[in-house]
RNA sequence: GGCGGCGUAGCCAAGUGGUUAAGGCGGGGGUCUGCAAAACCCCUAUACAGCGGUUCAACUCCGCUCGCCGCCUCCA
């Protein structure tokens, strides 16, 4: 199995340090709803986690919540709530959205505000070792003391220097970054050896990763926008504190979601939230959209592509929804598909290729089923492999149908029903009655009436399909 | 300016130094059907931004040009 590693810039053989693969993924700053760009990252790492487990690895997956920072404070002030209330609300929303996308819960979700002692311990250690210094109640990392600074983002200090910010002269060197920020009046704070304040952004991830996964982890992930400065600084702090390198063996970064010309981001305000997307498309379709291209490439959001994903997903669902045809004349084997799937995923999680295998398998199943093969085991394989990519293959949930219109239609068609309309019937039973009514018309070759029933049902959100085994119905998209 | 990436059919998107350049959507034709729908079958890139170079052979390696994007400031 090979993975692309941002640290080395190479595709490398994946050799985890032990039996359990440790993964740390940077989570969200909780001050607003998640958008599809976030979904892209978390769907990806969900697939990676699922695939590693499929391969037989044990996985320990940690993802933080940044629940204290400037944006949270500002937003909370605007809304007149406390930072922690705001953070709690959006943590709940995060879980709602990601659960809806069928993203497995990771094993530990640490929060910055609950890890202050560990954070202070790390900062204290860095100061003791001379890697950091206190200045006016804040603490900064002394970048010049870490020779490898820039090794993740592949930048040389000299090239970055002109861009650093002086930050009111509190820093020794422009590129030094904050480990601890002194509290301004009215801001939430925690006590520390340097005074009241709160952790800087990067330090929380170091502290949590070290606490929950140890000094050296297997996979560290996040969006490409985190490479610099966040991950660079995180790496710098962690290796300085522990003296152990690498802090993370494999750094995996996903490309960013674009919306039209620009990347989707909170600061640009051009975003589609996960909730908005889920109103229009099934979770499976959204996942297919994300997974349909390579994770390191940027992806552009478009309704057209999402719709294509929805239609494609429907075909996959269809293939699994039509039964196994057991007792057939021969059995359809699926091993070649499984191998292709594994080969694809082994090559730096080539999900686009893995998805293609699913479609090929679905076609083969459909074909074989028509020829009366037993496709039970192939169906199991399809469902299993789809599951590795996090597809449920379930019908998208739709709001329940109202019985009223169906009762109305039945009354229109049936004298009997008009005389004694039965309101105790479930909508499924009503639809079944309508299908039977139409069946009578068809037998009598009253095509106009039969087609009218079909048309009216479509208007009510129910599509009929006349199969050799009888008429079946399903909800329209 | 520095670092990284991209440019493949109408759209999305894999991929390979040399047999037929995946897959999805869309489109066309057909089977089935009273008609539909669904499903299935067939077709839909002599071509991979442009120009050079390396090679027996490049879309795939190298160089350059053009175009696009991300990061270098908070951001998945």
């Amino acid at each position: 199995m090979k993975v692309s590693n941002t640290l080395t810039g190479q595709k490398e053989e994946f050799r985890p340090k032990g039996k359990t693969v440790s993964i740390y993924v940077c989570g969200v700053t909780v001050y607003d709803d998640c958008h599809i760009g976030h979904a892209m990252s978390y769907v990806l790492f969900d697939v990676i986690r699922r695939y590693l487990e499929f391969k037989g690895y044990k996985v320990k997956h940690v993802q933080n919540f940044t629940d204290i920072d400037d944006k949270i404070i500002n937003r909370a002030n605007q809304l007149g709530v406390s930072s922690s209330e705001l953070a709690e609300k959006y943590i709940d929303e995060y879980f709602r959205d990601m659960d809806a996308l069928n993203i497995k819960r990771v094993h530990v979700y640490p929060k910055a505000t609950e890890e202050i002692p560990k954070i202070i311990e790390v900062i204290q250690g860095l100061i003791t070792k001379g890697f950091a210094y206190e200045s006016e109640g804040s603490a900064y990392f002394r970048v010049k003391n870490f020779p490898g600074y820039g090794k993740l983002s592949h930048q040389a200090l000299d090239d970055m220097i002109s861009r650093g910010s002086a930050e009111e002269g509190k820093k020794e060197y422009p590129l030094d970054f904050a480990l601890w920020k002194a509290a301004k009046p009215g801001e939430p704070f925690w006590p520390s050896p340097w005074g009241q304040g709160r952790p800087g952004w990067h330090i929380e991830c170091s502290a949590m990763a070290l606490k929950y996964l140890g000094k050296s982890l297997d996979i560290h992930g996040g969006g490409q926008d985190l490479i610099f400065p966040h991950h660079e600084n995180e790496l710098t702090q962690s290796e300085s504190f522990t003296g152990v390198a690498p802090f993370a063996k494999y750094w995996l970064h996903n490309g960013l979601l674009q919306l039209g010309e620009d990347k989707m981001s909170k600061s640009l305000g051009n975003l589609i939230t996960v909730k908005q997307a889920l109103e229009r498309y099934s979770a499976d379709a959204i996942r297919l959209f994300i997974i349909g291209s390579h994770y390191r490439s940027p992806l552009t959001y478009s309704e057209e592509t999402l719709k294509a994903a929805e239609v494609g997903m429907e075909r996959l669902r269809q293939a699994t929804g039509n039964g196994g045809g057991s007792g057939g004349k021969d059995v359809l084997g699926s091993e070649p598909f499984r191998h292709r799937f594994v080969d694809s995923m082994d090559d730096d999680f080539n999900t686009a290729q893995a998805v293609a295998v699913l479609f090929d398998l679905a076609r083969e199943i459909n074909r074989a089923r028509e020829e009366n093969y037993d496709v039970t085991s192939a169906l199991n394989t399809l469902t299993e492999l789809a599951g590795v990519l996090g597809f449920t293959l379930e019908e998208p949930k739709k709001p329940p149908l109202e019985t009223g219109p169906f009762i109305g239609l039945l009354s229109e068609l049936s004298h009997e029903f008009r005389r004694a309309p039965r309101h105790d019937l479930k909508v499924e039973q009503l639809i079944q009655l309508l299908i039977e009514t139409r069946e009578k018309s068809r037998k009598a070759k009253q095509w106009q009436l039969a087609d009218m029933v079909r048309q009216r049902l479509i208007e009510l959100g129910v599509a009929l399909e006349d199969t050799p085994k009888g008429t079946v119905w399903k909800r329209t998209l």
Side-chain angles (χ1 to χ4, degrees):
Chain A
M1 189 170 131
K2 294 198 159 112
V3 298
S4 286
N5 187 352
T6 306
L7 182 61
T8 59
Q10 307 277 318
K11 201 191 273 189
E12 302 171 1
E13 191 60 36
F14 180 67
R15 292 204 180 79
K17 301 176 119 29
K19 284 178 186 166
T20 299
V21 178
S22 50
I23 304 180
Y24 186 92
V25 176
C26 288
V28 286
T29 300
V30 278
Y31 68 100
D32 207 345
D33 276 320
C34 288
H35 57 71
I36 324 274
H38 298 117
M40 181 173 172
S41 197
Y42 301 122
V43 164
L44 163 68
F45 287 102
D46 181 57
V47 169
I48 289 175
R49 179 257 180 99
R50 285 170 187 264
Y51 185 64
L52 289 171
E53 288 174 344
F54 169 80
K55 293 272 283 185
Y57 291 108
K58 280 208 164 49
V59 174
K60 185 168 183 188
H61 192 178
V62 177
Q63 183 180 310
N64 68 298
F65 284 114
T66 298
D67 62 345
I68 185 69
D69 99 320
D70 286 339
K71 276 182 276 204
I72 295 175
I73 294 170
N74 292 340
R75 189 70 185 274
N77 286 342
Q78 278 171 22
L79 296 174
V81 298
S82 73
S83 297
S84 59
E85 280 171 326
L86 186 76
E88 282 307 315
K89 170 176 159 51
Y90 284 108
I91 287 172
D92 288 346
E93 295 297 336
Y94 174 89
F95 283 126
R96 214 185 306 281
D97 291 343
M98 298 303 148
D99 288 351
L101 287 173
N102 198 31
I103 289 168
K104 278 187 169 184
R105 299 262 179 136
V106 307
H107 303 90
V108 188
Y109 286 102
K111 298 171 193 163
T113 58
E114 293 175 0
E115 305 292 344
I116 302 290
K118 183 70 184 176
I119 290 169
I120 288 175
E121 176 197 328
V122 174
I123 298 173
Q124 191 74 73
L126 287 169
I127 290 176
T128 305
K129 292 185 176 186
F131 284 113
Y133 54 91
E134 185 272 335
S135 171
E136 299 175 34
S138 295
Y140 296 94
F141 189 92
R142 190 174 274 132
V143 159
K144 277 189 163 173
N145 280 15
F146 186 74
Y149 193 73
K151 66 183 175 184
L152 181 68
S153 53
H154 304 286
Q155 304 260 350
L157 255 192
D158 295 343
D159 295 329
M160 294 188 273
I161 182 65
S162 60
R163 303 281 169 168
S165 69
E167 189 161 324
E168 305 130 39
K170 284 157 77 177
K171 297 194 274 188
E172 290 179 1
Y173 184 71
L175 287 172
D176 289 352
F177 54 88
L179 300 169
W180 187 263
K181 293 177 156 183
K184 295 177 195 134
E187 288 183 348
F189 60 82
W190 288 260
S192 83
W194 321 282
Q196 296 174 336
R198 59 192 159 86
W201 177 34
H202 318 298
I203 194 67
E204 65 175 77
C205 286
S206 292
M208 295 172 190
L210 295 173
K211 176 171 172 183
Y212 294 102
L213 296 172
K215 293 177 178 176
S216 186
L217 30 146
D218 292 307
I219 295 177
H220 193 122
Q224 278 171 355
D225 53 350
L226 296 182
I227 295 172
F228 192 91
H230 184 56
H231 287 165
E232 189 73 61
N233 292 350
E234 204 184 317
L235 178 158
T236 297
Q237 293 162 345
S238 302
E239 293 187 358
S240 300
F241 176 73
T242 63
V244 175
F247 164 54
K249 202 168 177 191
Y250 306 100
W251 289 84
L252 271 51
H253 291 101
N254 61 280
L256 302 179
L257 190 76
Q258 316 281 129
L259 184 64
E261 303 277 291
D262 300 301
K263 75 167 173 172
M264 194 178 285
S265 81
K266 290 179 182 175
S267 34
L268 291 173
N270 58 334
L271 37 83
I272 310 249
T273 63
V274 170
K275 288 176 179 46
Q276 288 167 338
L278 280 167
E279 281 170 17
R280 303 204 54 184
Y281 307 103
S282 67
D284 277 353
I286 294 170
R287 291 184 73 114
L288 178 58
F289 163 71
I290 290 169
I291 268 178
S293 66
H294 190 86
Y295 74 87
R296 296 174 67 223
S297 305
L299 180 62
T300 303
Y301 181 93
S302 90
E303 300 293 337
E304 196 186 354
T305 312
L306 260 307
K307 277 178 196 150
E310 190 71 81
V311 176
M313 236 19 256
E314 183 55 28
R315 258 188 66 211
L316 247 32
R317 280 184 206 118
Q318 200 71 38
T320 55
N322 283 335
S326 55
K329 63 179 180 183
D330 211 340
V331 175
L332 172 67
S334 55
E335 279 312 298
F337 295 94
R338 180 182 292 272
H339 285 135
R340 280 175 58 203
F341 180 89
V342 169
D343 286 346
S344 300
M345 290 298 284
D346 274 354
D347 183 12
D348 197 24
F349 309 107
N350 192 330
T351 51
Q353 223 164 51
V355 163
V357 174
L358 259 42
F359 277 100
D360 284 342
L361 178 54
R363 171 181 295 125
E364 206 54 42
I365 286 171
N366 287 329
R367 198 182 310 190
R369 181 161 37 211
E370 295 227 330
E371 289 172 18
N372 233 355
Y373 277 69
D374 181 340
V375 296
T376 315
S377 119
L379 275 177
N380 288 340
T381 301
L382 178 57
T383 308
E384 180 193 2
L385 298 183
V388 173
L389 300 180
F391 296 133
T392 65
L393 298 182
E394 285 163 9
E395 284 298 317
K397 289 186 182 59
K398 290 165 181 155
L401 292 165
E402 299 292 327
T403 54
F406 294 93
I407 290 173
L409 182 52
L410 260 176
S411 303
E412 231 178 276
L413 296 168
S414 150
H415 294 281
E416 225 173 292
F417 199 88
R418 196 181 310 150
R419 221 169 280 134
R422 296 184 44 200
H423 294 276
D424 59 321
L425 290 176
K426 293 196 169 90
V427 73
E428 288 79 11
Q429 296 171 302
L430 290 165
I431 292 170
Q432 202 50 48
L433 280 174
L434 283 160
I435 288 174
E436 284 163 23
T437 307
R438 170 168 171 271
E439 221 40 53
K440 282 177 197 158
S441 310
R442 294 182 72 210
K443 288 224 171 74
K445 295 197 190 299
Q446 292 176 341
W447 308 125
Q448 218 179 351
L449 184 59
D451 291 348
M452 185 274 270
V453 176
R454 184 169 64 196
Q455 183 54 37
R456 293 283 295 274
L457 281 173
I458 280 182
E459 286 159 16
L460 298 177
V462 171
L464 298 189
E465 291 175 17
D466 299 325
T467 75
K469 288 174 185 168
T471 301
V472 298
W473 66 274
K474 61 183 186 184
R475 300 282 302 270
T476 52
L477 288 175

